[in-house]
Amino acid sequence: MQQHLEPRPDFRSESHSLSALTMLLTEQCNLRCTYCYIDKNAKRMSRETAERSIDFLFAHAGDEKQLAICFFGGEPLLAPDLLDYVATEAKRRAKEAHKVMVFSITTNATLLTESRVALLQKHRVGVTVSLDGLPEEHDRHRKLVNGEGSFQLIERNLERLVSLSPTIRLTVTPETAPSLQKSVAWLVERGLTKISFSPVFEAAWDEETLSTYYDALGSLYRYQVEGLKRDASYRVGNLFNLEDEMTSVMGRGFGCGAARKMVAIDAQGFMYPCHRFVGYFRNAEAQRIGHVASGFDVDRRGYYIESCHRSTHTGCGSGLFEAKVAPEEKQCTTCSLSPGCGSACMAVNEHMTGDPRKPDPIHRVFSQIHASLHLDHRSDLVPLRLPAPEQHP
């Protein structure tokens, strides 16, 4: 594993152009998922705020050739008219500026009428769906406002959902971890073959549930390897991404593009480093980095750009193996697990520890689990993923 550190970059706000927005079209939602970090309220983005958001993106895009807008919420499909307006206007502006415009959406898929599917297809919107697999596991946390499970609404829209070729985002909690592999298989059997999973770091994990997660993830690795051997089309993205992350020099630099290349805009036009900050720190001025009407707060933006770089992170400790961890492993910049570690997420860091630069020890625990299992299965996974080498006489 490479130990090279990239040169310390320029953290000043004015040194970074913008390439992506996450727009909270509405903060309303028809679900009340127990693990959701977005506060549900009646606020909806006005057309004026949406237009100013588009203006802001193009004004700060600099030489960026491709720009992106992610439609978020709440549930963004509660505002299809606003989505249509933003996409249409952004494409018009991109054409004038000789830039490429791409769109994505994160949705719960309960509102996929024919007209909404047509709208997403019209603008070629990449779709990510929050769906937790097996009906009983999905309904455990993803509930309607009245407390009933929401899977029934997914089931009736399943054919439309498959037609969009979505990426399924499966959220893993201590309660649903035992069914991880079975939930993925259930999705695959219904034609949903692009899958990623995300543990809820801030959930109440303990030794027993972490052990269960380890076993479940091991089963998922074996399921994926077996699928590759059969030339099956399904892919659990995390299992492949970890290989890239753990062998990447860049993985030791910026954890993501938050505050630097992308910002999140809430329904009122306030800007945050990313969508998680909107949820974790709703109405908290300290986490805002500006407003679409007045521009960036360059000091706050600069602070979060710097905080997103691993060289500023203090490290999260020793995780599971205190006595066996060398001192250098306890700092992010020299930790062997750093490139593939969730400690780069400064929103989760600030939510859990009060400091965007200080990860919670749970990150190292999950990194140890992920790295251990990946190394166990790497010899099967990586050669099957790569194309066969050319044969020369």
Side-chain angles (χ1 to χ4, degrees):
M1 189 168 297
Q2 303 181 56
Q3 294 296 322
H4 174 72
L5 298 180
E6 63 178 5
R8 189 176 178 85
D10 186 346
F11 296 129
R12 294 175 300 170
S13 175
E14 58 269 26
S15 299
H16 298 275
S17 56
L18 200 60
S19 63
L21 300 181
T22 298
M23 297 178 64
L24 277 75
L25 301 184
T26 176
E27 295 175 28
Q28 292 178 308
C29 188
N30 59 328
L31 301 189
R32 292 296 183 270
C33 304
T34 60
Y35 49 63
C36 185
Y37 48 81
I38 297 291
D39 179 43
K40 310 303 184 296
N41 58 70
K43 295 188 177 85
R44 173 180 165 141
M45 184 176 286
S46 67
R47 182 167 287 202
E48 179 185 7
T49 298
E51 188 169 354
R52 282 181 167 177
S53 299
I54 299 168
D55 290 342
F56 191 87
L57 174 60
F58 281 88
H60 291 81
D63 295 330
E64 302 285 345
K65 299 301 182 185
Q66 178 171 293
L67 304 180
I69 293 177
C70 175
F71 301 112
F72 205 75
E75 172 47 54
L77 287 181
L78 285 169
D81 54 337
L82 187 59
L83 188 158
D84 188 29
Y85 170 76
V86 170
T88 300
E89 181 64 14
K91 286 193 292 188
R92 182 188 69 79
R93 294 284 300 273
K95 184 176 181 180
E96 292 178 352
H98 305 288
K99 298 181 184 293
V100 176
M101 195 76 232
V102 296
F103 304 103
S104 62
I105 188 171
T106 297
T107 174
N108 60 37
T110 62
L111 302 173
L112 281 179
T113 60
E114 290 185 9
S115 62
R116 288 184 172 100
V117 168
L119 173 63
L120 297 175
Q121 293 172 331
K122 168 187 172 183
H123 294 297
R124 298 184 177 182
V125 180
V127 178
T128 295
V129 174
S130 298
L131 202 171
D132 287 353
L134 290 166
E136 60 269 25
E137 300 296 7
H138 181 88
D139 283 345
R140 187 189 294 268
H141 293 291
R142 304 190 62 79
K143 298 181 182 296
L144 299 171
V145 175
N146 64 8
E148 295 180 1
S150 63
F151 180 79
Q152 57 180 316
L153 302 182
I154 299 286
E155 189 171 32
R156 74 183 187 189
N157 292 328
L158 197 56
E159 186 174 342
R160 295 186 186 121
L161 177 57
V162 172
S163 74
L164 292 169
S165 298
T167 295
I168 302 300
R169 186 181 186 276
L170 195 154
T171 300
V172 184
T173 67
E175 297 80 17
T176 61
S179 301
L180 176 58
Q181 184 270 320
K182 290 182 180 178
S183 284
V184 169
W186 186 93
L187 293 167
V188 169
E189 289 166 4
R190 282 149 185 82
L192 300 166
T193 58
K194 294 187 292 184
I195 300 166
S196 67
F197 63 91
S198 179
V200 180
F201 291 116
E202 56 266 46
W205 296 94
D206 57 25
E207 186 174 344
E208 181 179 354
T209 53
L210 286 167
S211 178
T212 299
Y213 175 74
Y214 180 93
D215 292 339
L217 187 54
S219 296
L220 184 58
Y221 264 102
R222 291 187 289 275
Y223 175 74
Q224 179 64 85
V225 169
E226 185 59 34
L228 289 172
K229 289 178 178 178
R230 293 187 286 104
D231 201 27
S233 61
Y234 62 86
R235 295 291 185 274
V236 181
N238 312 57
L239 307 187
F240 298 99
N241 295 342
L242 189 59
E243 174 68 19
D244 297 330
E245 292 166 354
M246 294 192 70
T247 57
S248 170
V249 174
M250 295 305 292
R252 296 180 178 279
F254 287 107
C256 65
R260 180 174 55 98
K261 288 294 185 183
M262 67 177 181
V263 297
I265 302 174
D266 72 9
Q268 297 173 286
F270 288 107
M271 293 188 291
Y272 296 80
C274 75
H275 58 285
R276 281 186 175 268
F277 276 93
V278 181
Y280 290 145
F281 305 104
R282 192 75 184 92
N283 297 321
E285 293 186 11
Q287 284 75 29
R288 291 174 179 168
I289 59 174
H291 190 280
V292 293
S294 56
F296 280 124
D297 179 330
V298 295
D299 291 335
R300 294 305 300 166
R301 185 190 183 204
Y303 168 75
Y304 279 111
I305 290 174
E306 184 172 1
S307 297
C308 195
H309 200 271
R310 290 183 190 273
S311 65
T312 68
H313 290 192
T314 61
C316 60
S318 304
L320 294 173
F321 310 111
E322 175 70 41
K324 299 180 181 180
V325 174
E328 60 268 21
E329 287 288 299
K330 300 180 183 182
Q331 295 297 317
C332 287
T333 51
T334 52
C335 177
S336 61
L337 298 173
S338 182
C341 179
S343 66
C345 181
M346 57 180 174
V348 172
N349 291 349
E350 189 162 3
H351 174 62
M352 294 185 73
T353 71
D355 185 345
R357 308 181 186 196
K358 182 173 179 56
D360 188 272
I362 193 66
H363 287 294
R364 184 169 178 87
V365 176
F366 275 101
S367 293
Q368 288 168 325
I369 290 173
H370 295 162
S372 174
L373 286 166
H374 185 75
L375 292 173
D376 285 346
H377 297 278
R378 183 176 185 272
S379 61
D380 292 322
L381 194 69
V382 176
L384 290 168
R385 170 205 186 188
L386 299 174
E390 294 183 14
Q391 298 294 320
H392 298 286

